[in-house]
């Protein structure tokens, strides 16, 4: 069996650091686009009322404005922060495939190619392109070498542990194992009591028999989180 | 359930990430899932085709309503393949009644419109609970979970969009000749059939993705509630620690066999400990590692370097001293110069700036003069400015227009001609004089190619009504005389003269 399936994008920097980002799929991106579109639509309607006071000139201005906004709305926001308002709501961000921030040329290319993605109706081409691509890239993304990822980081530092007297590890553990113990303690409240002891029993050899294993793990987690 | 064999990576996910994972899963196994879907879907399509004779809407409704029939086998297959076991298609077909029939009535009636259908399906199909326990289970799992609603809504929209897109593409692919003709093709592919086919195709494409996404929502909820990822990690950790202990035990071997036998008894907790070297030995190891060439080393390198010739230096010591004095003098000169410069540079800079701004202003002024509206740039000509003297035509209809060629008192000259019995010449002189006056005194821009009527139009546009009326009268008489060879009456000319003298002479 090949590696376990996930929606991650891995990139190894020249320094040998492996970065891992979580790719955003068609559904959430479609919804973000829908929000952006409604923002634009509301703005157009408002301006239609305002500019209709000016008669023909107003209509001309509106058309010019619509042209500019339709083509450059995403470019403007992507160059400011990498996310349009719709993407911001869902914590999405556009970056290069090599995980660097978006450049002008890439942003222009990926947004000008929306015309291709839109064909034949409401981004059908883009949808199929996303489905067939490992990184959920639409045609514009493929041309510009960009991906859309979630910005929200895994909140590992922010885990709130139930209090317990700290207890040092009996011997050093690897980093991922220490993290695992922290995660276990961090999800203490979500797990049922039964499940907690079931899980901790897997490490019975490590925790010893002096106390219920889950209590020991919690104590270790407190020691790991707060220090000695 | 063997978590070690699971084929997706376990980690806590948001609902959106879970749905993305569902799409990735649907993509990975798309061919198989699609075939499974078609196995139930194709008979449904036949039924729908039959039903669509009563109306296309009925067929579409049947297809849409009965999608829950197609989905359970997909879900079952996915749930097996999630743990590395992929049932064969024939096995799945044999199993078809057992996966589809349970809860079918509810699936096709009140549960059909449930917005979280995709999320409920795994609970109902895979957990095999019933009654109160199932209700309880659904309540626990569905708490704080809003992704399934959005999944259903978005997939519905996607299906509509895909259907329209397929119809558009299909209509583009039909050759122009057949598009409006009534051949065998258009009978087979009537409007209704095409619509039904598009709905069927889009449903079959989205079905696997929808089921996989709902299933992943369910899995991620269970990962969250039951900490599957932690379990997997703990298992791996336990096995690593166990291995480390056994290695430890075997390494001690022969001599301390007794101790090794006693070890687990004496300190069971310590037994699993990986070998930890004592501090002294550790320091040695660290020193060894640091001594390796990768952590830096010294090297002896020989290079050529110029040797200072001290002897020569002493000999030319006086020169040096002279140079130093000279240098000091230069230095003071330099400070003096820089002081001067500092005093001078500011005014110079201001002067330069003024000069540059002046030059820029002059350039702008020249450009305005050169390209300004009065210069006929882009063909724009307005009012009095437009008619520069060099622009005015010298000759119109073979008549000289320069003021020099005219008598000073135009009207007197005309009257004189009239008195001498030459009314035609008098009229010509008057007409010529009037035009000349319009061009040179009133600044009217008349093109050299203009005709008499064009002149009249121009006068009407640009000059007041009095002048226009007078000039109009003059022009009409002149045209009749010049081209119609009608001799102007003496009385008419007299009248014209008086009007003319009122409008033109007084004002100019």
């Amino acid at each position: 069996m090949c590696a376990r399936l996930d929606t991650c994008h891995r990139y190894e920097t020249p320094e040998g650091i492996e970065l891992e980002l979580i790719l955003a799929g068609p559904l959430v991106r479609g919804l973000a686009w829908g929000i952006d579109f409604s923002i634009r639509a509301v703005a157009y309607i408002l301006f239609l009322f305002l500019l209709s006071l000016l008669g023909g000139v107003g209509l001309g201005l509106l058309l010019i404005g619509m042209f500019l906004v339709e083509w450059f709305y995403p470019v403007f926001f992507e160059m400011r922060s990498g996310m349009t308002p719709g993407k911001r709501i869902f914590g999405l961000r556009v970056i290069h495939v090599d995980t660097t921030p978006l450049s002008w040329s890439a942003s222009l290319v990926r947004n000008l190619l929306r015309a291709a993605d839109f064909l034949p109706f409401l981004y059908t081409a883009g949808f199929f392109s996303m489905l067939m691509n490992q990184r959920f890239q639409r045609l514009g993304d493929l041309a510009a070498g960009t991906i859309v990822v979630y910005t929200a980081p895994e909140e590992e530092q922010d885990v709130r542990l139930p209090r317990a007297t700290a207890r040092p590890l009996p011997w050093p553990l690897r980093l991922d194992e220490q993290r695992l113990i922290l995660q276990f303690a961090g999800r203490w409240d979500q797990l049922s009591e039964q499940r907690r002891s079931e899980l901790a029993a897997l490490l019975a050899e490590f925790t010893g028999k002096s106390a219920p294993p889950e209590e020991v793990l919690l104590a270790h987690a407190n020691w790991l989180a707060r220090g000695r | 359930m063997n978590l070690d064999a699971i084929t997706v990576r376990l980690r806590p996910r948001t609902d959106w990430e879970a749905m993305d994972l569902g799409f990735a899963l649907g993509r990975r196994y798309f061919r198989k899932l699609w075939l499974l879907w078609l196995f139930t879907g194709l008979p449904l399509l036949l039924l729908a085709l039959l039903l669509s004779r009563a109306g296309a809407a009925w067929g579409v409704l049947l297809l849409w309503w009965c999608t829950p029939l197609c989905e359970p086998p997909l879900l079952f297959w996915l749930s097996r393949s999630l743990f590395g076991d992929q049932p064969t298609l024939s096995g799945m077909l044999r199993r078809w009644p057992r996966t589809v029939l349970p809860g079918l009535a509810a699936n096709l009636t009140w549960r059909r419109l449930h917005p979280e259908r995709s999320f409920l399906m795994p609970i109902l199909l895979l957990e095999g609970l019933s009654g109160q326990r199932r209700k309880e289970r659904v309540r626990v799992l569905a708490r704080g979970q809003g992704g399934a609603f959005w999944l259903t809504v978005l997939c519905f929209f996607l299906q509509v969009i895909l259907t329209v897109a397929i119809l558009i593409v299909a209509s583009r692919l039909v050759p122009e000749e057949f598009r409006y003709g009534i051949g065998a093709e258009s009978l087979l592919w009537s409007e209704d059939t095409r619509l039904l086919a598009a709905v069927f195709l889009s449903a079959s494409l989205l079905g696997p993705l929808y089921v996989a996404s709902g299933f992943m929502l369910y899995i991620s909820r269970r990962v969250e509630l039951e900490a599957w990822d932690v379990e997997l990690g703990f298992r791996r950790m336990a096995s690593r620690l166990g291995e480390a202990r056994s290695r430890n035990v075997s390494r001690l071997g022969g001599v301390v066999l007794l101790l090794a036998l006693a070890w687990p008894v004496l300190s069971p907790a310590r037994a699993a400990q990986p070998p930890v070297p004592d501090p002294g030995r550790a320091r040695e190891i660290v020193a060894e590692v640091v001594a390796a060439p990768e952590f830096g080393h010294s090297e002896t390198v020989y290079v050529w370097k110029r040797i200072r010739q001290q002897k020569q230096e002493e000999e030319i010591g006086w020169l040096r001293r002279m140079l130093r004095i000279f240098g000091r003098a230069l230095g003071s000169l330099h400070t003096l110069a820089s002081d001067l410069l500092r005093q001078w540079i500011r005014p110079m800079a201001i002067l330069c700036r003024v000069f540059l701004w002046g030059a820029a202003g002059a350039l702008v002024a020249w450009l305005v003069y050169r390209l300004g509206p009065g210069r006929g740039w882009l063909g724009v000509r307005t009012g009095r400015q437009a008619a520069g003297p060099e622009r005015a035509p010298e000759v119109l209809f073979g008549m000289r227009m320069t003021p020099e060629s005219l008598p000073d008192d135009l009207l007197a000259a005309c009257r004189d001609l009239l008195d001498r019995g030459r009314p035609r010449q008098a009229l010509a002189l008057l007409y010529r004089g009037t035009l000349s006056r319009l061009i040179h005194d009133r600044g009217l821009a008349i093109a050299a190619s203009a005709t008499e009527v064009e002149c009249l139009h121009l006068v009407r546009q640009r000059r007041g009504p009095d002048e226009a009326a007078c000039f109009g009268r003059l022009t009409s008489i002149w045209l009749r005389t010049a081209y119609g060879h009608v001799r102007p009456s003496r009385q008419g000319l007299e009248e014209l003269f008086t009007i003319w003298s009122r409008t033109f002479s007084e004002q100019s």
Side-chain angles (χ1 to χ4, degrees):
Chain A
M1 200 65 224
C2 41
R4 292 196 165 122
L5 187 67
D6 200 357
T7 51
C8 278
H9 173 64
R10 290 219 173 79
Y11 183 80
E12 193 180 325
T13 65
E15 293 83 11
I17 300 163
E18 198 180 55
L19 301 174
E20 195 182 271
L21 293 155
I22 297 161
L23 297 161
L27 289 182
V28 64
R29 286 177 63 179
L31 202 56
W33 178 85
I35 288 172
D36 281 333
F37 179 75
S38 355
I39 291 173
R40 289 201 301 264
V42 169
Y44 291 151
I45 291 167
L46 281 181
F47 274 97
L48 182 66
F49 280 121
L50 285 177
L51 290 174
S52 63
L53 300 175
L54 297 178
V57 178
L59 188 67
L61 283 177
L62 183 73
L63 286 176
I64 291 172
M66 272 176 80
F67 168 79
L68 290 177
V69 170
E70 271 311 307
W71 286 101
F72 298 110
Y73 168 93
V75 176
F76 174 74
F77 285 108
E78 278 167 13
M79 286 327 293
R80 281 186 66 204
S81 58
M83 33 185 148
T84 57
K87 287 200 176 74
R88 190 182 288 277
I89 289 173
F90 294 103
L92 304 180
R93 190 189 175 114
V94 189
I95 55 170
H96 282 142
V97 170
D98 62 4
T99 70
T100 50
L102 198 61
S103 68
W104 269 102
S105 56
S107 177
L108 276 173
V109 167
R110 81 182 288 279
N111 287 308
L112 288 182
L113 273 175
R114 274 176 193 278
D117 279 306
F118 195 85
L119 292 173
F121 180 63
L122 271 181
Y123 289 93
T124 313
F127 176 69
F128 279 107
S129 168
M130 277 190 205
L131 280 188
M132 286 183 231
N133 187 280
Q134 292 290 333
R135 298 174 184 147
F136 292 130
Q137 285 169 300
R138 59 179 178 81
L139 297 175
D141 285 325
L142 285 172
T146 53
I147 47 176
V148 179
V149 295
Y150 290 96
T151 48
E154 289 173 55
E155 294 162 8
E156 273 180 300
Q157 291 83 20
D158 204 33
V159 191
R160 250 174 254 120
L161 304 175
R163 279 273 177 188
T165 46
R167 181 164 162 180
L169 293 176
W171 60 78
L173 286 177
R174 291 199 317 225
L175 186 63
D176 53 332
E177 291 167 345
Q178 295 181 15
R179 259 191 207 154
L180 209 59
I181 292 177
L182 278 175
Q183 256 187 28
F184 172 72
R187 284 153 80 175
W188 190 266
D189 293 332
Q190 287 174 13
L191 300 170
S192 65
E193 207 171 311
Q194 233 175 332
R195 181 69 183 154
R196 279 200 296 256
S197 55
E198 200 178 293
L199 283 175
L202 291 171
L203 289 180
E205 280 187 39
F206 172 78
T207 54
K209 295 195 177 72
S210 54
E214 64 267 29
E215 304 288 337
V216 179
L217 284 182
L218 187 63
H220 287 325
N222 269 285
W223 184 77
L224 284 171
R226 309 215 168 81
R228 32 240 86 168
Chain B
M1 193 170 70
N2 178 15
L3 273 188
D4 280 327
I6 201 162
T7 56
V8 298
R9 206 173 125 204
L10 294 177
R11 59 180 173 83
R13 285 189 171 83
T14 63
D15 286 347
W16 294 113
E17 288 172 40
M19 282 185 255
D20 294 341
L21 184 66
F23 268 69
L25 193 69
R27 170 175 60 204
R28 181 186 262 191
Y29 302 120
F30 188 80
R31 217 156 42 89
K32 281 176 182 157
L33 294 175
W34 198 51
L35 285 176
L36 269 177
W37 197 94
L38 288 183
F39 176 71
T40 328
L42 281 175
L44 259 182
L45 178 66
L46 284 179
L47 257 177
L49 276 172
L50 283 177
L51 199 63
S52 68
R53 285 169 184 257
W58 289 110
V60 172
L61 187 67
L62 177 81
L63 262 188
W64 180 74
W65 193 270
C66 289
T67 39
L69 273 178
C70 310
E71 285 164 357
L74 271 65
L75 182 62
F76 185 80
W77 192 89
L78 276 174
S79 72
R80 286 301 163 91
S81 78
L82 185 69
F83 292 102
D85 159 41
Q86 297 192 5
T88 57
L89 275 183
S90 57
M92 284 307 299
L93 300 190
R94 249 177 282 125
R95 200 180 267 280
W96 192 84
R98 263 186 289 161
T99 48
V100 175
L101 293 183
L104 185 62
N107 279 343
L108 286 183
T109 49
W110 56 270
R111 215 176 283 145
R112 176 63 188 90
L113 292 176
H114 198 292
E116 301 192 338
R117 191 165 61 86
S118 61
F119 182 76
L120 296 181
M121 205 163 40
I123 307 176
L124 306 174
L125 183 71
L126 304 175
E127 299 198 349
L129 300 172
S130 58
Q132 194 57 42
R133 285 183 63 203
R134 188 172 72 190
K135 226 177 252 176
E136 188 68 18
R137 180 78 177 142
V138 167
R139 207 177 50 76
V140 168
L141 282 180
R143 193 190 301 142
Q145 185 285 128
F149 169 75
W150 283 109
L151 177 65
T152 307
V153 171
L154 287 172
C155 275
F156 179 76
F157 279 122
L158 262 178
Q159 190 176 353
V160 174
I161 290 170
L162 270 189
T163 307
V164 174
I166 289 170
L167 284 175
I168 290 175
V169 169
S171 75
R172 292 280 154 80
L173 288 180
V174 173
E176 192 72 33
E177 305 89 68
F178 291 112
R179 201 169 287 173
Y180 306 108
I182 312 168
E185 293 87 353
S186 57
L187 278 179
L188 183 63
W189 289 99
S190 67
E191 199 92 336
D192 298 350
T193 326
R194 228 180 296 157
L195 176 66
L196 211 58
V199 170
F200 178 74
L201 202 57
S202 60
S204 74
L205 287 174
L206 284 175
L209 301 174
Y210 179 69
V211 174
S213 297
F215 183 48
M216 281 300 118
L217 276 174
Y218 164 78
I219 289 292
S220 85
R221 185 73 182 135
R222 281 194 66 177
V223 167
E224 189 189 343
L225 283 180
E226 294 165 29
W228 284 9
D229 50 335
V230 173
E231 178 180 339
L232 203 60
F234 276 5
R235 275 182 201 284
R236 212 171 293 149
M237 189 169 153
S239 76
R240 186 184 77 89
L241 294 177
E243 255 174 49
R245 184 181 59 161
S246 63
R247 221 183 307 132
N248 217 7
V249 169
S250 67
R251 205 178 282 163
L252 286 168
V255 188
V256 278
L257 185 65
L258 189 70
L259 196 64
L261 284 172
W263 189 283
V265 183
L266 290 175
S267 60
R270 292 223 150 230
Q273 178 184 16
V276 178
D278 67 289
R281 173 85 189 109
R283 221 162 279 138
E284 272 171 42
I285 293 174
V286 168
E288 243 170 64
V289 170
V290 170
E294 286 82 3
F295 288 96
H297 56 280
S298 60
E299 215 173 83
T300 317
V301 179
Y302 295 95
V303 290
W304 289 101
K305 206 175 171 186
R306 193 190 177 92
I307 299 170
R308 288 202 159 219
Q309 291 173 333
Q310 291 195 337
K311 213 171 162 194
Q312 254 183 354
E313 204 173 79
E314 277 164 23
E315 276 174 17
I316 57 168
W318 62 272
L319 192 64
R320 243 168 184 271
R321 232 170 291 140
M322 284 295 287
L323 276 175
R324 201 172 294 146
I325 292 165
F326 186 60
R328 217 170 283 154
L330 265 182
S332 56
L333 205 66
H334 173 250
T335 48
L336 191 72
S338 64
D339 282 350
L340 272 176
L341 273 178
R342 213 169 294 139
Q343 282 168 3
W344 278 100
I345 261 178
R346 195 172 293 276
M348 284 294 281
I350 292 169
L351 208 66
C352 280
R353 192 181 294 169
V354 168
F355 176 73
L356 278 176
W357 277 113
L363 185 69
V364 170
W366 182 75
L367 281 175
V368 167
Y369 170 73
R370 210 43 221 180
L371 307 174
R375 308 292 297 186
W377 181 50
L378 290 178
V380 177
R381 289 181 200 174
T382 47
R384 190 175 284 263
Q385 292 170 300
E390 77 271 25
R391 288 259 165 174
E394 287 192 356
V395 178
L396 270 177
F397 340 110
M399 295 171 163
R400 288 182 63 77
M401 287 295 149
T402 46
E404 300 82 46
S405 66
L406 287 164
D408 289 336
D409 189 352
L410 189 67
L411 212 54
C414 289
R415 279 189 212 282
D416 185 37
L417 279 171
L418 187 65
D419 287 341
R420 277 191 277 157
R422 294 162 72 183
R424 189 184 158 94
Q425 278 83 348
L427 190 59
L429 182 63
L430 184 66
Y431 187 67
R432 187 158 72 94
T434 313
L435 274 178
S436 170
R437 206 164 277 194
L438 282 170
I439 291 168
H440 296 288
D441 296 346
R442 310 287 203 271
L444 203 63
I446 297 176
S449 60
T451 63
E452 287 88 346
V453 181
E454 279 171 351
C455 292
L456 182 58
H457 275 302
L458 208 62
V459 171
R460 282 193 181 136
Q461 277 174 15
R462 296 279 160 85
R463 307 300 304 170
D466 286 352
E467 281 181 31
C470 175
F471 189 69
R473 187 165 183 162
L474 175 58
T475 306
S476 71
I477 296 176
W478 165 243
L479 284 179
R480 239 176 293 143
T481 310
Y483 300 104
H485 298 285
V486 177
R487 200 181 155 86
S489 69
R490 193 186 162 89
Q491 195 188 351
L493 283 182
E494 291 283 6
E495 267 175 41
L496 184 65
F497 287 164
T498 39
I499 297 169
W500 194 92
S501 68
R502 226 182 297 133
T503 45
F504 285 97
S505 312
E506 285 166 14
Q507 286 165 15
S508 64

